[in-house]
Amino acid sequence: KQWYQRRVAITAGELKLDERPLDLTAFYTNDCKPGLPAHLTLSYDSFTDKPVDRGTAYNGIVLNTNTVEEFKAKDFGGILKSAGEKIWSTFKDGSAVENPVTMNQFYCVCFADLKKYRYNYWFCFPAFVTPAAVMERSTLGVKFTSEQKEKFRSAANLGATFLDKDQNVIQDKNNAISNMEYVLIKDPSTDSEHPGWPLRNLLALVSFHLKKKKVSTATLR
């Protein structure tokens, strides 16, 4: 509710009829109970440069429309395709390795009827389908010691993180591909058989760069 109120205020006071894209920041957590859907939190300060920390940051773009007809006429499939191509380009040029945040971005197309207080919106979370052949599931308790797991938890607070064979965070991103042995991420999915959208893109990134090399991916849920 707070996010919609803030968006209406921006539309009425700042954007008016301007349809330029707006950047915003949302957050997800990895503490939902099994069986519940993963959720993303948007709030009144999502449009600011420094929103209150509510979990793992997830950047997005809002595309505003001025009429419901314009909203319905949007090429939603084209937006999703363009978003996927943008993510894929970060795989190819290596920027997703240098800054993993760039491979995850959501989009929101919306129309707010300010007179009737009606909101029309469409969200998309671009994520690649990861072939089953690249995944071999197990739990942290099976393969890693208590000391290693604690090290993983600390590193995962940094976002998607690459570690070397000694479980140290790789600081030199230029050598991350050749030296990574572990990949860490907080995964919002509560389904034990299916990775969430941030993890799916991370698996696609690792598969793209490492080809036949085997890397352990630790997901914290």
Side-chain angles (χ1 to χ4, degrees):
K1 182 178 179 180
Q2 290 179 330
W3 180 77
Y4 283 111
Q5 291 174 338
R6 177 56 183 153
R7 207 199 71 74
V8 167
I10 291 176
T11 300
E14 300 174 28
L15 286 180
K16 299 187 184 302
L17 298 179
D18 191 343
E19 295 187 356
R20 71 179 184 273
L22 291 178
D23 295 327
L24 74 164
T25 303
F27 294 90
Y28 71 83
T29 60
N30 63 332
D31 56 0
C32 293
K33 293 182 179 180
L36 294 178
H39 62 269
L40 197 70
T41 300
L42 291 165
S43 191
Y44 68 94
D45 57 353
S46 291
F47 291 99
T48 64
D49 294 333
K50 296 181 179 180
V52 176
D53 188 351
R54 297 179 176 85
T56 301
Y58 202 89
N59 296 325
I61 293 177
V62 172
L63 304 173
N64 184 57
T65 58
N66 291 312
T67 67
V68 68
E69 290 77 19
E70 291 179 2
F71 172 82
K72 293 179 178 179
K74 280 289 186 182
D75 183 5
F76 298 115
I79 293 173
L80 182 58
K81 180 180 179 182
S82 176
E85 291 173 345
K86 182 178 179 181
I87 295 173
W88 192 253
S89 69
T90 67
F91 289 6
K92 294 193 294 185
D93 64 19
S95 58
V97 177
E98 297 176 8
N99 184 14
V101 172
T102 60
M103 67 180 169
N104 289 313
Q105 188 174 58
F106 69 93
Y107 289 77
C108 172
V109 180
C110 56
F111 164 67
D113 189 329
L114 304 185
K115 295 181 179 180
K116 298 180 180 179
Y117 298 99
R118 292 179 179 175
Y119 305 97
N120 296 273
Y121 59 88
W122 173 83
F123 282 88
C124 79
F125 303 86
F128 293 101
V129 176
T130 305
V134 306
M135 295 188 292
E136 179 184 341
R137 299 182 183 88
S138 63
T139 64
L140 286 179
V142 173
K143 289 191 173 183
F144 303 105
T145 65
S146 297
E147 182 179 354
Q148 287 175 314
K149 287 188 287 185
E150 188 57 41
K151 209 168 189 177
F152 287 164
R153 291 191 184 95
S154 298
N157 289 329
L158 302 174
T161 307
F162 308 115
L163 276 66
D164 60 22
K165 62 181 180 179
D166 298 316
Q167 292 98 49
N168 295 316
V169 176
I170 299 175
Q171 303 294 342
D172 183 3
K173 299 300 183 181
N174 292 324
N175 295 318
I177 297 299
S178 58
N179 293 331
M180 74 168 69
E181 293 292 335
Y182 303 95
V183 183
L184 309 180
I185 192 171
K186 288 184 176 180
D187 184 22
S189 175
T190 62
D191 189 327
S192 61
E193 296 299 317
H194 299 93
W197 67 93
L199 176 55
R200 285 165 60 183
N201 285 345
L202 181 61
L203 291 173
L205 171 68
V206 173
S207 300
F208 176 84
H209 281 287
L210 298 185
K211 309 301 181 186
K212 297 181 179 180
K213 180 180 177 181
K214 186 174 182 179
V215 175
S216 296
T217 302
T219 61
L220 303 185
R221 296 182 172 183

